[in-house]
Amino acid sequence: MMQTVHNTIRAYWHELADAMEAMPFALVSQAATALLNCHQHGGVIFLVGNGGSAATASHFACDLAKGTRGPDGRPTLRVMALTDNVPLLTAWGNDTSYDRVFAEQLTALAHTGDTLVAISASGNSPNVLACVEAARQHGMTVIALTGQTGGKLRALADLAICVPSPSIEQVEDAHLMIAHSICVALRHELARHAATTAQDTVVYSYGGYAEYVPERTSGALAPASELLTATGRRRSPRSRRSAHILNEKEPLPLDLDVASEQTAVG
């Protein structure tokens, strides 16, 4: 009996390793870049899933919100898992239907430029699909984490990562690994960006308060003498370094090599 158990467990791990070798890493990199761009433009990342995927959605949200923060303590990603508010889930489920428990939450919160991460091993969960439809109506970007075929979710998403395994357990394993790898990549990129812009930040003091301002107006370097407070009072720089002007429309680069991977998914 023990040998049979051992063989089953060993076979599971070997199958999981084979699936990991076949992962579409370029798509994982694109998903990380999309989340980074959502953060850069002030968007919110929402996550949904059922069962084990609900647990992954909550875990992923936790790691995105806290696990991407560097030692400088700067605010990082704005994240919300629609799986966490049990009273609201049961209220919508009772008053409408279980198919609407995520979509109704999202409809009240979504804005154009936000991102939805929809997690479904089958790709056919009705409440996840309804939430995706609501996201698309609000001009959101949709990233799907799903299984081998992708189900209906694959065609509805802007970016679908389909785990190449027929085992639902291994698909769920892979989804959490995708989440962790994205969080590590984002933490690295946010820290790298903070380091490269640290010397281009001016510290202003006025009214007894200090303010750290990476200026974001337009062109090149802004003379400190031209920078005013919101009330029109001139701010005095405590540092002689000029403020580097960043273009808000320019996405933060993600330092990942994806040239050799296929990048298109229906």
Side-chain angles (χ1 to χ4, degrees):
M1 176 180 174
M2 288 301 298
Q3 187 62 40
T4 302
V5 170
H6 174 82
N7 290 342
T8 301
I9 291 173
R10 185 179 179 86
Y12 182 94
W13 280 90
H14 280 296
E15 291 167 3
L16 182 60
D18 290 341
M20 296 306 94
E21 286 291 333
M23 282 293 298
F25 296 112
L27 295 177
V28 179
S29 301
Q30 288 182 40
T33 301
L35 296 181
L36 195 63
N37 290 342
C38 179
H39 161 66
Q40 182 190 9
H41 292 92
V44 179
I45 300 166
F46 297 92
L47 300 97
V48 293
N50 289 288
S53 296
T56 299
S58 296
H59 189 153
F60 198 179
C62 174
D63 288 352
L64 285 171
K66 184 177 184 297
T68 57
R69 176 167 293 184
D72 60 359
R74 293 190 182 194
T76 53
L77 286 73
R78 301 168 63 201
V79 187
M80 181 176 183
L82 300 179
T83 51
D84 290 346
N85 191 328
V86 174
L88 194 54
L89 286 167
T90 57
W92 282 118
N94 183 69
D95 295 345
T96 58
S97 71
Y98 190 69
D99 292 356
R100 300 295 303 171
V101 295
F102 299 135
E104 296 295 345
Q105 291 187 70
L106 188 68
T107 297
L109 300 170
H111 292 88
T112 300
D114 290 342
T115 296
L116 174 68
V117 178
I119 308 173
S120 172
S122 68
N124 293 315
S125 299
N127 56 7
V128 171
L129 297 177
C131 191
V132 169
E133 293 284 6
R136 295 183 68 87
Q137 290 171 10
H138 285 82
M140 295 174 62
T141 297
V142 177
I143 298 171
L145 305 186
T146 185
Q148 194 167 37
T149 66
K152 297 177 182 177
L153 179 58
R154 180 173 182 169
L156 293 174
D158 296 294
L159 175 64
I161 302 173
C162 302
V163 176
S165 171
S167 165
I168 189 171
E169 294 84 4
Q170 291 173 14
V171 169
E172 290 180 346
D173 290 337
H175 287 169
L176 191 54
M177 295 174 73
I178 290 167
H180 280 158
S181 63
I182 287 175
C183 286
V184 170
L186 293 184
R187 183 170 66 238
H188 169 79
E189 289 305 311
L190 289 168
R192 187 170 68 89
H193 181 72
T196 57
T197 58
Q199 293 186 353
D200 298 319
T201 300
V202 179
V203 183
Y204 298 95
S205 177
Y206 57 96
Y209 295 93
E211 180 181 359
Y212 296 81
V213 184
E215 294 296 336
R216 291 177 176 268
T217 48
S218 57
L221 298 179
S225 60
E226 296 179 3
L227 299 172
L228 303 176
T229 67
T231 59
R233 293 179 295 171
R234 196 173 303 280
R235 295 182 292 197
S236 301
R238 295 175 60 190
S239 167
R240 291 296 182 183
R241 291 175 295 184
S242 297
H244 183 61
I245 309 307
L246 298 176
N247 184 346
E248 289 186 339
K249 299 300 183 182
E250 180 181 352
L252 298 178
L254 192 64
D255 188 14
L256 297 169
D257 181 10
V258 299
S260 61
E261 300 284 349
Q262 182 179 353
T263 59
V265 161

